[in-house]
Amino acid sequence: MSSVTSNIESTLHEDRVFAPPETFSRGAHIRSAEEYERLRAEASESPDNFWARMAEELHWFKKWDTVLKWDAPHAEWFGGGKINVSDNCLDRHLETWRRNKAALIWEGEPGEQRTFTYLQLHTEVCRFANVLKRFGVQTGDRVALYMPLIPELAMAMLACARIGATHSIIFGGFSADSLRDRINDAGCKLVVTADGGWRRGAEVKLKPTVDEAVKETPSVRTCIVVRRTGTRVHIEAGRDHWWHEVIETVDAHCPAEELDSEHPLYILYTSGTTGKPKGILHTTAGYLLQAHLTTKWVFDLKDEDTYWCTADIGWVTGHSYVVYGPLSNGATVVMYEGAPNYPEPDRFWRIIERHRVSVFYTAPTAIRAFIKWGEQWPLKHDLTSLRLLGTVGEPINPEAWMWYREIIGKGRCPIVDTWWQTETGAMMIAPLPGATPTKPGSATKPLPGIEADVMTRSGAPVGPNEGGYLVIKRPWPSMLRTIWGDDERYRATYWSEIDGVYFAGDGARRDADGYFWIMGRVDDVINVSGHRLGTMEVESALVSHAAVAEAAVVARPDEIKGSAIIAFVTLEGDRKATDGLKEELRRHVAKEIGALARPEEIRFSDQLPKTRSGKIMRRLLREIATSGGVQGDVTTLEDFSVLEKLRVHEEE
Ligand code: WTA
């Protein structure tokens, strides 16, 4: 069914429903649909009291004076409170039996293993916090982390949080230019990196990229380097220091700073519809509260669990569900550095079997790859330790959901499909595994305290099963507070598209049972393997090449990645369209942004189809990229012949 007003059409039809297994519900934190409804009702009748009651789960140096001050679109949560995230993730467990419980179990791609108990992790974090202080990092300063997935990354995050420095993690796949821009945008004083990391048997060098980036980052005074791969790297005297050397120069005494509830915890850059990434700002108390609660509710996390979220910490999923959420719950967290198919396509199942993982959280793109590699790989392993499966990052197609349920979960494990964003900080729409019946492909219902809705572009509600725009109608504790250095853009992007509500940028519909079905981005953002990329970013990178006059980038559905990037390019007059140039342009994008943005395909054309007002008609390009033909309305086209030429290229 579709709605004329919203222009979003939903075609997915799915009738299967899976009730929570009785044995699961019996032991769950939230045991029934009634209990969930009670929490929802409590939260919607008296949100402040509800969140205040929930906030009692955290450790506070001083309790808050007010729960929420909302001066739209700016929120202050738990004003007057004093709290520290690192204290909540570490110190408070030291007073309990968890002191010697495993906090992190890490596996490197080549196979080494390192385990840190809560006490050991605390010691390492305190020492690194003292290193940061030694190099002049103070409360409020920004620190960039550009690292592989190794324990030191979690330590560096918690050390920043401990002293009130704001971290900005830049995923290790980003290029020197991307790194430089992000460091400069936040004015980072110090960079923590490593010589390199391992991925699919090869070394991914990081330090040379940092060397390149910091040539043009005047704010950076110090660079701390973890020795991970042992490769030779340049050490700039006075600026660069080895982690293992400086850590020896400090002691392990470093009390956690008593920070304001709204103290900036981290900045994380994400793609938007313009070329410049947005520095999403998250603060302390509200963020921690929602990361903590959703980890407990949605993963139904218990002390006996061994929990593994496969996300890289460079993305928000790693922030909230590898580090802050699980550690504040005192969980045992598995971390794995490398690729899922190294040395063979059963690495994940090997890890689950070896560590007896009970709660497993991964992405639909990974599940689709596992399906392609074949079920013989998971079937080789004992996966009986699993009791709950989760997914995040993009819509999961029902058939992949069913495969996950049958082949990995053996029909026993509930699946939690969790919808949220970098901006929301924590899960927003997701099942409670002991309470919510699930439907393959639906993230089910909003969590208690979250008021989600589907609306038309003009803000009118839509009926059951009509497509529309996903919005959030009330502020929530872990919401982004602003875009770093650009509050106007924050207002314009999230709070001005539809009056009075948060605009998520996703299309959705709600069925007759109130279940949400997320349909993907409605803006110019492409979701490649669960990673967000703005079409504008890729276009800007292409146009920065001397041969390119104009470029338009669209998404084409891809079996494994969800979407693949297809670029339409017009060349400068004197340049020849050759396969060599295509390759060069693909490399150029990888250099400008990072390998994850490399277009799958480049198509040359003399002109791009445009409306009379000069806007590129991406809808047509999308159609051409997907099917090779065009059926849509073309009366607003500037030059009809352009379409013919694009089709001719398709046939070549
Ligand atoms: C998409 C990742 C459908 C969505 C946590 C959102 C999803 C964007 C789901 C945010 C899901 C995330 N079902 N789509 N369960 N989870 N998305 O900021 O388009 O990297 O807006 O945060 O991913 O991506 P981000």
Side-chain angles (χ1 to χ4, degrees):
M1 280 194 215
S2 71
S3 140
V4 185
T5 37
S6 63
N7 280 328
I8 294 182
E9 218 168 293
S10 170
T11 49
L12 188 69
H13 187 74
E14 174 62 53
D15 290 326
R16 289 169 286 200
V17 182
F18 295 93
E22 214 173 291
T23 46
F24 192 102
S25 299
R26 219 176 297 135
H29 287 303
I30 298 170
R31 297 172 186 209
S32 65
E34 294 71 44
E35 205 176 320
Y36 161 77
E37 290 301 341
R38 264 203 307 281
L39 282 169
R40 269 199 69 72
E42 179 193 348
S44 72
E45 278 154 29
S46 176
D48 282 13
N49 288 346
F50 171 78
W51 288 118
R53 186 164 80 78
M54 294 300 137
E56 296 287 346
E57 295 212 7
L58 301 180
H59 175 252
W60 297 83
F61 298 118
K62 175 180 173 291
K63 293 258 168 82
W64 56 94
D65 300 322
T66 46
V67 175
L68 170 65
K69 266 196 217 151
W70 178 236
D71 179 9
H74 295 111
E76 182 189 349
W77 282 92
F78 305 106
K82 295 278 184 193
I83 188 165
N84 185 293
V85 169
S86 173
D87 167 73
N88 270 277
C89 289
L90 301 169
D91 305 50
R92 80 164 145 163
H93 305 308
L94 303 188
E95 294 151 26
T96 71
W97 66 269
R98 291 191 189 116
R99 183 188 310 119
N100 289 322
K101 176 181 176 177
L104 292 184
I105 299 176
W106 175 83
E107 254 194 61
E109 194 185 73
E112 29 342 16
Q113 296 185 31
R114 295 163 75 193
T115 299
F116 294 86
T117 64
Y118 274 93
L119 182 61
Q120 289 168 333
L121 186 60
H122 176 265
T123 304
E124 297 303 322
V125 167
C126 288
R127 291 171 79 194
F128 194 66
N130 281 334
V131 168
L132 292 174
K133 284 196 213 167
R134 212 200 102 181
F135 287 102
V137 176
Q138 294 172 347
T139 301
D141 286 342
R142 272 82 56 208
V143 171
L145 310 179
Y146 184 70
M147 301 170 75
L149 216 159
I150 53 177
E152 284 80 0
L153 175 49
M155 290 167 191
M157 294 165 79
L158 290 160
C160 287
R162 196 163 187 87
I163 64 171
T166 303
H167 60 70
S168 167
I169 305 186
I170 298 106
F171 173 62
F174 278 115
S175 66
D177 288 2
S178 297
L179 176 60
R180 175 200 62 205
D181 292 348
R182 286 159 174 75
I183 290 174
N184 284 336
D185 188 72
C188 298
K189 217 177 190 177
L190 184 142
V191 181
V192 188
T193 189
D195 44 7
W198 295 106
R199 185 86 193 169
R200 213 158 283 131
E203 189 195 13
V204 179
K205 290 188 192 303
L206 294 174
K207 181 62 168 53
T209 312
V210 172
D211 291 338
E212 181 71 28
V214 299
K215 281 184 191 154
E216 295 170 56
T217 58
S219 58
V220 173
R221 280 185 238 142
T222 311
C223 179
I224 311 278
V225 189
V226 178
R227 179 173 280 161
R228 161 76 192 113
T229 58
T231 184
R232 274 178 74 90
V233 295
H234 168 73
I235 293 289
E236 179 93 11
R239 185 194 69 195
D240 301 346
H241 305 268
W242 287 109
W243 174 299
H244 62 269
E245 287 175 4
V246 286
I247 205 86
E248 296 300 332
T249 65
V250 293
D251 66 25
H253 178 72
C254 180
E257 288 286 329
E258 302 191 3
L259 300 170
D260 290 338
S261 291
E262 285 294 342
H263 187 79
L265 176 65
Y266 69 82
I267 301 167
L268 181 58
Y269 288 85
T270 190
S271 293
T273 49
T274 70
K276 190 171 180 283
K278 303 174 282 198
I280 303 299
L281 179 70
H282 283 293
T283 59
T284 299
Y287 171 80
L288 179 65
L289 176 60
Q290 204 174 321
H292 176 90
L293 280 178
T294 52
T295 303
K296 179 171 159 184
W297 286 343
V298 178
F299 296 131
D300 188 47
L301 215 58
K302 309 278 170 43
D303 263 314
E304 305 77 47
D305 278 314
T306 299
Y307 162 87
W308 182 23
C309 163
T310 65
D312 193 285
I313 293 179
W315 310 110
V316 74
T317 305
H319 285 61
S320 300
Y321 299 108
V322 177
V323 180
Y324 293 127
L327 294 181
S328 76
N329 277 284
T332 294
V333 177
V334 171
M335 266 170 86
Y336 166 59
E337 176 189 31
N341 54 350
Y342 186 84
E344 289 198 288
D346 64 345
R347 185 61 183 270
F348 276 16
W349 321 124
R350 221 173 255 285
I351 292 173
I352 290 175
E353 181 173 21
R354 180 178 303 132
H355 302 290
R356 301 279 184 273
V357 171
S358 54
V359 178
F360 178 65
Y361 190 36
T362 194
T365 186
I367 296 168
R368 291 191 298 264
F370 300 141
I371 295 173
K372 191 176 136 211
W373 294 334
E375 61 190 53
Q376 69 275 20
W377 297 105
L379 292 181
K380 279 210 291 200
H381 295 277
D382 176 5
L383 304 180
T384 51
S385 57
L386 289 171
R387 66 179 198 94
L388 180 69
L389 305 173
T391 83
V392 62
E394 51 182 316
I396 178 163
N397 43 310
E399 292 326 306
W401 195 100
M402 288 305 297
W403 186 92
Y404 198 27
R405 179 185 151 85
E406 298 306 326
I407 305 300
I408 307 305
K410 315 290 181 212
R412 290 182 300 109
C413 306
I415 296 183
V416 288
D417 173 359
T418 62
W419 178 85
W420 59 293
Q421 311 176 290
T422 304
E423 291 87 342
T424 69
M427 295 169 189
M428 302 290 278
I429 303 177
L432 299 171
T436 317
T438 51
K439 305 183 187 187
S442 169
T444 76
K445 296 184 176 187
L447 292 166
I450 305 303
E451 300 289 339
D453 205 347
V454 182
M455 288 181 160
T456 65
R457 197 78 187 191
S458 50
V462 302
N465 285 317
E466 280 184 64
Y469 297 90
L470 181 60
V471 302
I472 311 293
K473 298 203 287 193
R474 267 190 57 84
W476 63 100
S478 64
M479 63 186 273
L480 77 166
R481 296 304 194 261
T482 189
I483 292 173
W484 184 262
D486 198 349
D487 197 56
E488 204 29 63
R489 192 175 174 197
Y490 164 68
R491 209 181 267 277
T493 309
Y494 303 110
W495 298 95
S496 307
E497 292 281 337
I498 300 179
D499 213 27
V501 297
Y502 170 83
F503 182 78
D506 279 326
R509 78 180 157 97
R510 201 167 23 180
D511 68 18
D513 299 328
Y515 277 50
F516 284 73
W517 299 77
I518 312 295
M519 288 144 50
R521 303 294 303 189
V522 293
D523 53 12
D524 292 326
V525 172
I526 304 182
N527 196 328
V528 184
S529 302
H531 303 317
R532 283 164 60 175
L533 283 164
T535 51
M536 267 293 293
E537 275 174 271
V538 183
E539 287 165 7
S540 308
L542 283 164
V543 174
S544 73
H545 189 283
V548 176
E550 199 171 30
V553 161
V554 296
R556 178 176 68 198
D558 182 274
E559 206 186 320
I560 304 292
K561 299 178 188 169
S563 301
I565 298 175
I566 311 299
F568 292 86
V569 170
T570 62
L571 295 173
E572 293 289 354
D574 55 337
R575 299 301 291 250
K576 279 233 154 37
T578 61
D579 283 347
L581 184 56
K582 280 187 184 174
E583 256 328 290
E584 188 178 322
L585 292 179
R586 294 177 71 232
R587 268 202 310 275
H588 179 72
V589 174
K591 183 184 168 291
E592 291 287 308
I593 304 175
L596 71 166
R598 186 187 288 125
E600 181 85 8
E601 195 184 322
I602 295 203
R603 296 192 186 184
F604 294 125
S605 114
D606 298 340
Q607 266 177 302
L608 296 174
K610 291 191 184 153
T611 61
R612 285 178 214 284
S613 61
K615 262 182 90 137
I616 293 173
M617 299 181 79
R618 288 172 204 283
R619 178 174 56 81
L620 292 179
L621 294 176
R622 231 174 271 136
E623 243 180 277
I624 294 169
T626 307
S627 65
V630 179
Q631 282 100 43
D633 172 20
V634 293
T635 47
T636 44
L637 253 191
E638 181 73 77
D639 178 2
F640 291 94
S641 63
V642 169
L643 278 182
E644 290 311 315
K645 288 181 192 148
L646 288 167
R647 259 178 296 193
V648 168
H649 277 267
E650 168 65 23
E651 280 148 22
E652 272 170 5

